[in-house]
Amino acid sequence: DAGVIQSPRHEVTEMGQEVTLRCKPISGHDYLFWYRQTMMRGLELLIYFNNNVPIDDSGMPEDRFSAKMPNASFSTLKIQPSEPRDSAVYFCASSNSGLGMETQYFGPGTRLLVL
Amino acid sequence: QKEVEQNSGPLSVPEGAIASLNCTYSDRVSQSFFWYRQYSGKSPELIMSIYSNGDKEDGRFTAQLNKASQYVSLLIRDSQPSDSATYLCAVNGNAGNMLTFGGGTRLMVKP
Protein backbone atom coordinates (compact mmCIF):
# COMPACT_ATOMS: atom_id res chain seq x y z
CA ASP A 1 0.00 0.00 0.00
CA ALA A 2 1.30 3.46 -0.88
CA GLY A 3 0.12 5.00 2.35
CA VAL A 4 -1.47 8.41 2.63
CA ILE A 5 -0.35 10.66 -0.20
CA GLN A 6 -0.19 14.43 0.10
CA SER A 7 0.68 17.11 -2.40
CA PRO A 8 2.43 19.39 -2.70
CA ARG A 9 5.13 18.49 -0.18
CA HIS A 10 6.27 22.08 0.03
CA GLU A 11 4.45 25.28 -0.81
CA VAL A 12 5.72 28.84 -0.65
CA THR A 13 3.23 31.55 -1.43
CA GLU A 14 2.59 35.20 -0.82
CA MET A 15 0.05 36.60 1.56
CA GLY A 16 -3.36 36.88 -0.02
CA GLN A 17 -2.90 34.01 -2.44
CA GLU A 18 -5.10 30.93 -2.50
CA VAL A 19 -3.51 27.69 -1.34
CA THR A 20 -4.88 24.22 -2.04
CA LEU A 21 -3.54 21.16 -0.29
CA ARG A 22 -4.41 17.69 -1.52
CA CYS A 23 -4.71 14.30 0.10
CA LYS A 24 -5.30 10.75 -1.05
CA PRO A 25 -6.16 8.44 1.87
CA ILE A 26 -5.24 4.80 2.11
CA SER A 27 -7.58 2.76 -0.06
CA GLY A 28 -10.46 1.34 1.96
CA HIS A 29 -10.13 3.81 4.81
CA ASP A 30 -13.40 5.55 5.63
CA TYR A 31 -12.09 8.29 7.93
CA LEU A 32 -9.96 11.22 6.82
CA PHE A 33 -8.45 13.85 9.10
CA TRP A 34 -6.72 17.17 8.45
CA TYR A 35 -4.23 18.41 11.06
CA ARG A 36 -2.01 21.44 11.38
CA GLN A 37 1.27 21.39 13.30
CA THR A 38 3.22 24.38 14.55
CA MET A 39 5.88 24.77 17.21
CA MET A 40 3.63 26.99 19.27
CA ARG A 41 0.37 25.03 19.12
CA GLY A 42 1.51 21.48 18.41
CA LEU A 43 -0.68 19.13 16.40
CA GLU A 44 -4.24 20.39 16.02
CA LEU A 45 -7.17 18.65 14.38
CA LEU A 46 -8.84 20.93 11.85
CA ILE A 47 -11.62 18.75 10.42
CA TYR A 48 -12.46 15.13 9.82
CA PHE A 49 -14.66 13.22 7.40
CA ASN A 50 -16.43 9.88 7.61
CA ASN A 51 -17.48 8.31 4.32
CA ASN A 52 -16.77 11.64 2.58
CA VAL A 53 -19.07 13.59 4.92
CA PRO A 54 -17.60 16.28 7.20
CA ILE A 55 -18.28 15.26 10.79
CA ASP A 56 -16.53 17.87 12.89
CA ASP A 57 -14.99 21.10 11.61
CA SER A 58 -14.76 22.86 14.96
CA GLY A 59 -10.98 23.02 14.61
CA MET A 60 -11.06 25.04 11.40
CA PRO A 61 -9.58 28.37 12.47
CA GLU A 62 -11.78 30.69 10.43
CA ASP A 63 -13.77 31.12 7.26
CA ARG A 64 -10.62 31.40 5.20
CA PHE A 65 -10.23 27.65 5.60
CA SER A 66 -12.42 25.15 3.78
CA ALA A 67 -12.17 21.41 3.17
CA LYS A 68 -13.90 19.07 0.78
CA MET A 69 -13.97 15.36 0.12
CA PRO A 70 -15.70 14.79 -3.22
CA ASN A 71 -14.99 11.05 -3.19
CA ALA A 72 -13.42 8.34 -1.07
CA SER A 73 -9.98 8.79 -2.56
CA PHE A 74 -9.48 12.54 -2.57
CA SER A 75 -9.72 15.50 -0.23
CA THR A 76 -8.63 19.13 -0.40
CA LEU A 77 -7.92 21.78 2.20
CA LYS A 78 -8.09 25.30 0.84
CA ILE A 79 -6.93 28.55 2.40
CA GLN A 80 -8.19 31.73 0.77
CA PRO A 81 -6.75 34.27 1.30
CA SER A 82 -3.61 32.94 2.96
CA GLU A 83 -1.84 34.81 5.76
CA PRO A 84 1.67 34.47 7.25
CA ARG A 85 0.21 32.95 10.43
CA ASP A 86 -1.06 30.03 8.35
CA SER A 87 2.54 28.89 7.90
CA ALA A 88 2.70 25.36 9.32
CA VAL A 89 2.94 21.72 8.39
CA TYR A 90 -0.42 20.35 7.33
CA PHE A 91 -0.96 16.61 7.76
CA CYS A 92 -3.65 14.42 6.35
CA ALA A 93 -4.38 11.12 8.10
CA SER A 94 -6.78 8.27 7.45
CA SER A 95 -8.19 5.34 9.39
CA ASN A 96 -10.47 2.36 8.94
CA SER A 97 -13.46 1.85 11.22
CA GLY A 98 -13.25 -1.88 10.67
CA LEU A 99 -9.71 -2.12 12.00
CA GLY A 100 -9.85 0.35 14.85
CA MET A 101 -10.88 3.79 13.83
CA GLU A 102 -8.58 5.57 16.22
CA THR A 103 -5.49 4.10 14.57
CA GLN A 104 -4.63 6.90 12.23
CA TYR A 105 -2.02 6.74 9.51
CA PHE A 106 -0.40 10.04 8.64
CA GLY A 107 0.75 11.31 5.29
CA PRO A 108 4.15 12.98 4.86
CA GLY A 109 2.69 16.45 5.31
CA THR A 110 2.72 19.69 3.33
CA ARG A 111 5.08 22.39 4.57
CA LEU A 112 3.40 25.70 3.90
CA LEU A 113 5.20 29.02 4.10
CA VAL A 114 3.19 32.18 3.55
CA LEU A 115 5.36 35.24 3.02
CA GLN B 1 -5.60 23.78 31.03
CA LYS B 2 -4.60 21.66 28.06
CA GLU B 3 -6.53 18.44 27.64
CA VAL B 4 -3.38 16.34 27.16
CA GLU B 5 -0.20 17.42 28.90
CA GLN B 6 3.38 16.32 28.28
CA ASN B 7 6.70 17.66 29.42
CA SER B 8 8.28 19.15 26.32
CA GLY B 9 11.78 18.06 27.35
CA PRO B 10 14.28 17.48 26.02
CA LEU B 11 14.66 14.28 27.97
CA SER B 12 18.23 13.12 27.66
CA VAL B 13 19.21 9.53 28.46
CA PRO B 14 22.38 7.54 27.76
CA GLU B 15 22.33 4.69 25.29
CA GLY B 16 21.12 1.48 26.92
CA ALA B 17 19.15 3.23 29.66
CA ILE B 18 15.40 3.23 30.20
CA ALA B 19 13.57 6.29 28.91
CA SER B 20 10.34 7.15 30.70
CA LEU B 21 7.83 9.43 29.01
CA ASN B 22 4.73 10.64 30.79
CA CYS B 23 1.38 12.06 29.78
CA THR B 24 -1.64 13.25 31.73
CA TYR B 25 -5.12 13.90 30.41
CA SER B 26 -8.10 15.80 31.72
CA ASP B 27 -11.11 14.01 30.20
CA ARG B 28 -12.13 11.21 32.56
CA VAL B 29 -14.22 9.46 29.92
CA SER B 30 -11.23 8.94 27.63
CA GLN B 31 -11.11 5.36 26.44
CA SER B 32 -8.18 4.94 24.06
CA PHE B 33 -4.61 6.06 24.38
CA PHE B 34 -1.82 6.17 21.85
CA TRP B 35 1.84 6.93 21.55
CA TYR B 36 3.15 8.32 18.29
CA ARG B 37 6.80 8.83 17.41
CA GLN B 38 7.78 11.74 15.19
CA TYR B 39 11.27 12.11 13.80
CA SER B 40 12.37 15.61 12.92
CA GLY B 41 10.83 16.67 9.63
CA LYS B 42 8.68 13.54 9.38
CA SER B 43 5.08 12.62 10.10
CA PRO B 44 3.81 11.00 13.31
CA GLU B 45 3.98 7.22 13.36
CA LEU B 46 1.89 5.06 15.70
CA ILE B 47 4.03 2.88 17.97
CA MET B 48 1.71 1.83 20.80
CA SER B 49 -1.95 1.81 21.74
CA ILE B 50 -3.47 0.92 25.11
CA TYR B 51 -7.07 0.65 26.16
CA SER B 52 -7.18 -0.87 29.66
CA ASN B 53 -5.41 -0.24 32.93
CA GLY B 54 -2.04 -1.86 33.38
CA ASP B 55 0.94 -2.50 31.18
CA LYS B 56 1.20 -3.43 27.54
CA GLU B 57 4.54 -4.56 26.18
CA ASP B 58 5.75 -4.58 22.59
CA GLY B 59 9.42 -5.32 22.16
CA ARG B 60 11.44 -2.62 23.90
CA PHE B 61 8.34 -0.49 24.43
CA THR B 62 5.92 -0.69 27.36
CA ALA B 63 2.84 1.48 27.65
CA GLN B 64 1.30 1.95 31.08
CA LEU B 65 -2.19 3.24 31.78
CA ASN B 66 -3.75 4.37 35.04
CA LYS B 67 -7.23 5.71 34.42
CA ALA B 68 -7.86 6.55 38.06
CA SER B 69 -4.88 8.90 38.05
CA GLN B 70 -5.45 9.92 34.44
CA TYR B 71 -1.98 9.26 33.23
CA VAL B 72 -0.36 7.16 30.58
CA SER B 73 3.33 6.53 30.19
CA LEU B 74 5.74 4.99 27.71
CA LEU B 75 8.89 3.17 28.76
CA ILE B 76 11.63 2.50 26.25
CA ARG B 77 14.12 -0.11 27.42
CA ASP B 78 17.67 -0.33 26.11
CA SER B 79 17.33 3.10 24.50
CA GLN B 80 19.14 3.54 21.21
CA PRO B 81 20.25 6.73 19.44
CA SER B 82 17.67 5.85 16.76
CA ASP B 83 14.97 6.34 19.40
CA SER B 84 15.79 10.05 19.47
CA ALA B 85 12.57 11.71 18.36
CA THR B 86 9.53 13.54 19.67
CA TYR B 87 6.95 11.29 21.29
CA LEU B 88 3.34 12.40 21.08
CA CYS B 89 0.67 11.16 23.46
CA ALA B 90 -2.84 11.04 21.97
CA VAL B 91 -6.15 10.43 23.67
CA ASN B 92 -9.52 9.50 22.26
CA GLY B 93 -12.43 10.60 24.40
CA ASN B 94 -16.11 10.37 23.78
CA ALA B 95 -16.09 12.87 20.91
CA GLY B 96 -16.32 10.41 18.07
CA ASN B 97 -13.05 9.46 16.51
CA MET B 98 -11.14 12.58 17.32
CA LEU B 99 -7.71 12.28 18.83
CA THR B 100 -6.38 15.01 21.07
CA PHE B 101 -2.59 15.22 21.01
CA GLY B 102 -0.23 16.42 23.66
CA GLY B 103 2.57 18.80 22.76
CA GLY B 104 5.11 16.00 22.66
CA THR B 105 8.26 15.16 24.56
CA ARG B 106 11.56 15.37 22.76
CA LEU B 107 13.80 12.42 23.61
CA MET B 108 17.54 12.47 23.03
CA VAL B 109 19.50 9.24 23.42
CA LYS B 110 23.21 9.91 23.65
CA PRO B 111 25.73 7.28 22.49
Side-chain angles (χ1 to χ4, degrees):
Chain A
D1 198 318
V4 177
I5 298 172
Q6 291 187 247
S7 65
R9 295 291 303 276
H10 302 271
E11 177 83 19
V12 181
T13 190
E14 293 186 345
M15 181 174 62
Q17 296 298 305
E18 178 179 294
V19 175
T20 299
L21 311 180
R22 298 173 177 80
C23 174
K24 177 179 169 57
I26 294 172
S27 178
H29 282 195
D30 52 352
Y31 283 86
L32 184 140
F33 306 82
W34 281 102
Y35 290 91
R36 177 174 68 177
Q37 187 174 41
T38 62
M39 288 292 292
M40 289 297 295
R41 300 176 66 88
L43 193 62
E44 302 175 284
L45 177 67
L46 300 177
I47 185 172
Y48 80 95
F49 296 82
N50 176 220
N51 291 323
N52 314 338
V53 176
I55 303 300
D56 191 319
D57 65 353
S58 59
M60 296 286 263
E62 50 197 274
D63 292 344
R64 297 185 297 107
F65 286 69
S66 62
K68 294 181 180 180
M69 192 166 186
N71 57 62
S73 59
F74 183 67
S75 177
T76 60
L77 178 67
K78 186 175 293 186
I79 308 172
Q80 167 63 17
S82 58
E83 297 183 2
R85 61 192 167 123
D86 301 329
S87 298
V89 181
Y90 290 81
F91 289 106
C92 176
S94 69
S95 66
N96 185 326
S97 58
L99 297 177
M101 58 189 76
E102 308 101 336
T103 302
Q104 298 180 17
Y105 298 87
F106 282 75
T110 295
R111 296 181 180 279
L112 173 65
L113 177 61
V114 182
L115 302 174
Chain B
Q1 180 186 3
K2 286 187 177 180
E3 295 180 35
V4 181
E5 296 263 14
Q6 295 182 257
N7 188 317
S8 61
L11 172 66
S12 183
V13 300
E15 183 176 356
I18 296 175
S20 178
L21 306 164
N22 300 311
C23 170
T24 59
Y25 59 94
S26 60
D27 188 351
R28 283 196 166 271
V29 300
S30 297
Q31 296 296 319
S32 309
F33 307 85
F34 305 86
W35 284 99
Y36 282 79
R37 178 177 61 200
Q38 186 175 23
Y39 291 114
S40 180
K42 302 296 184 181
S43 57
E45 172 193 16
L46 180 67
I47 54 172
M48 289 286 289
S49 59
I50 187 166
Y51 303 94
S52 55
N53 281 328
D55 294 0
K56 179 182 178 182
E57 186 174 318
D58 184 0
R60 296 187 296 112
F61 298 95
T62 298
Q64 299 175 319
L65 175 62
N66 184 323
K67 289 187 178 181
S69 300
Q70 295 177 242
Y71 85 79
V72 57
S73 62
L74 178 70
L75 300 179
I76 306 175
R77 290 181 300 281
D78 188 25
S79 296
Q80 302 296 309
S82 59
D83 295 326
S84 298
T86 296
Y87 289 81
L88 300 168
C89 173
V91 175
N92 174 264
N94 61 350
N97 301 303
M98 294 169 58
L99 288 181
T100 301
F101 284 83
T105 298
R106 184 177 162 213
L107 174 66
M108 298 173 58
V109 181
K110 297 187 175 181

